[in-house]
Amino acid sequence: MPANTADMRVERRPKLFENVAQQLRAQILAGDYPVGEKLPTETRMTELFGVSRTVVREAVAALAADSMVEVRHGAGVFVIDNPTLKISAITADMGNRISRAVNVLEVRMGIEIESAGLAAQRRSPSQEARIQEAFFEFEALLKQGEPTGKADFAFHREIAAATNNEFYVEILDALGDRTIPCDRSSPWYSVEVLSPDYLGGLQREHLRILQAISAGDADAARDAMRAHLVAAKERYRQRLSGQQADYSQNHMEAAAKPALKDTVRRSVGR
């Protein structure tokens, strides 16, 4: 894949209803519209946002699909309680700072290490099969040179599902697949995370997790998941080191140019 692939990607412009939904979501999470409160009428929202009724309806439908609001026919649109949306809002606006990636990884470690152990103890045959299917889906995409982010997230999600505790799945869903760096929608996506070496390393780590869960070894499953997430954290640290090295190199080259010009001028003047 060309080195400048990331630079060639065309960012899709958000649709009008997505902008309206984002603003409403931010207002709800900020407490402007508490749980149980009614949103402004459709007519009022067209005035507030300067859009058509169709756009407002699509925005409300998007919020309803996220279980953030409830449309009560004849009464209006009301805010409903959904704690996991607060996590989703954080990950949706976390930018591309590596410091935020490390913070999210720490949260994942607190959740996924134990979920791996529980999955080893509680998985059903069908749940184990789904974990393995996600593993081999990642492998197939890797061999085809296709993006693996969705399969990576599916692998982790199926492990959470195998705990038979729905809260592990809900929290992982709230964090979302944007927390997977080899997913193209991740704010930390970069060309290097599509390299065969990078992805092959991930898959070897996944294999150790899968083998421990299949063996019913809870301690080994926790250790394998911990090693996987610690390795991810180390990869971010290496990326930071690379950024520092690039800055130092560019700074040295910029500082060297005036000195070179002075040397050339002195040589010409002799």
Side-chain angles (χ1 to χ4, degrees), residues 43-121:
T43 301
R44 179 58 179 154
M45 283 196 278
T46 62
E47 297 171 353
L48 289 171
F49 297 110
V51 295
S52 68
R53 288 177 178 270
T54 299
V55 170
V56 170
R57 289 169 188 163
E58 289 177 339
V60 169
L63 294 179
D66 287 342
S67 300
M68 202 164 198
V69 300
E70 179 182 47
V71 179
R72 301 174 188 170
H73 296 291
V77 180
F78 293 82
V79 177
I80 58 177
D81 192 18
N82 189 341
T84 59
L85 285 172
K86 295 179 181 178
I87 303 175
S88 298
I90 292 171
T91 58
D93 190 34
M94 56 193 166
N96 60 1
R97 290 176 295 173
I98 293 179
S99 60
R100 300 300 294 273
V102 172
N103 288 343
V104 171
L105 268 175
E106 289 180 353
V107 173
R108 288 182 60 195
M109 289 174 74
I111 297 165
E112 295 194 64
I113 291 171
E114 184 59 21
S115 74
L118 291 175
Q121 295 173 320

Side-chain angles (χ1 to χ4, degrees), residues 7-167:
D7 296 332
M8 294 171 64
R9 288 178 293 151
V10 177
E11 296 294 334
R12 181 183 66 84
R13 295 183 64 182
K15 296 179 180 178
L16 278 176
F17 84 87
E18 291 174 333
N19 288 330
V20 173
Q22 183 178 4
Q23 292 180 64
L24 285 170
R25 184 178 291 109
Q27 291 171 356
I28 291 170
L29 292 171
D32 295 343
Y33 300 108
V35 172
E37 185 163 325
K38 181 179 176 181
L39 293 185
T41 64
E42 185 177 282
T43 301
R44 179 58 179 154
M45 283 196 278
T46 62
E47 297 171 353
L48 289 171
F49 297 110
V51 295
S52 68
R53 288 177 178 270
T54 299
V55 170
V56 170
R57 289 169 188 163
E58 289 177 339
V60 169
L63 294 179
D66 287 342
S67 300
M68 202 164 198
V69 300
E70 179 182 47
V71 179
R72 301 174 188 170
H73 296 291
V77 180
F78 293 82
V79 177
I80 58 177
D81 192 18
N82 189 341
T84 59
L85 285 172
K86 295 179 181 178
I87 303 175
S88 298
I90 292 171
T91 58
D93 190 34
M94 56 193 166
N96 60 1
R97 290 176 295 173
I98 293 179
S99 60
R100 300 300 294 273
V102 172
N103 288 343
V104 171
L105 268 175
E106 289 180 353
V107 173
R108 288 182 60 195
M109 289 174 74
I111 297 165
E112 295 194 64
I113 291 171
E114 184 59 21
S115 74
L118 291 175
Q121 295 173 320
R122 300 176 177 175
R123 82 231 178 269
S124 68
S126 62
Q127 288 170 333
E128 182 180 339
R130 286 195 292 272
I131 296 170
Q132 182 162 299
E133 286 166 359
F135 173 86
F136 282 112
E137 175 66 14
F138 185 108
E139 182 71 17
L141 293 170
L142 176 57
K143 289 180 179 179
Q144 295 165 13
E146 296 293 330
T148 58
K150 304 298 182 186
D152 192 332
F153 183 73
F155 177 76
H156 287 268
R157 191 183 188 282
E158 291 298 347
I159 291 172
T163 66
N164 291 299
N165 181 334
E166 69 274 15
F167 292 110

Side-chain angles (χ1 to χ4, degrees), residues 1 31 58 60 66 75-76 83 95 102 107 115 120 135 161 167 188 192 206 215 219-220 223 227 232 235 250 257:
M1 182 171 290
E58 289 177 339
V60 169
D66 287 342
V102 172
V107 173
S115 74
F135 173 86
F167 292 110
W188 308 299
E192 66 262 29
H206 288 162
D219 289 338
D223 289 343
R235 284 187 281 268
N250 293 336
K257 287 179 181 178

Side-chain angles (χ1 to χ4, degrees), residues 6 9 181-183 186-195 239:
R9 288 178 293 151
C182 61
D183 187 82
S186 168
W188 308 299
Y189 161 83
S190 62
V191 173
E192 66 262 29
V193 304
L194 291 183
S195 71
R239 192 183 299 184

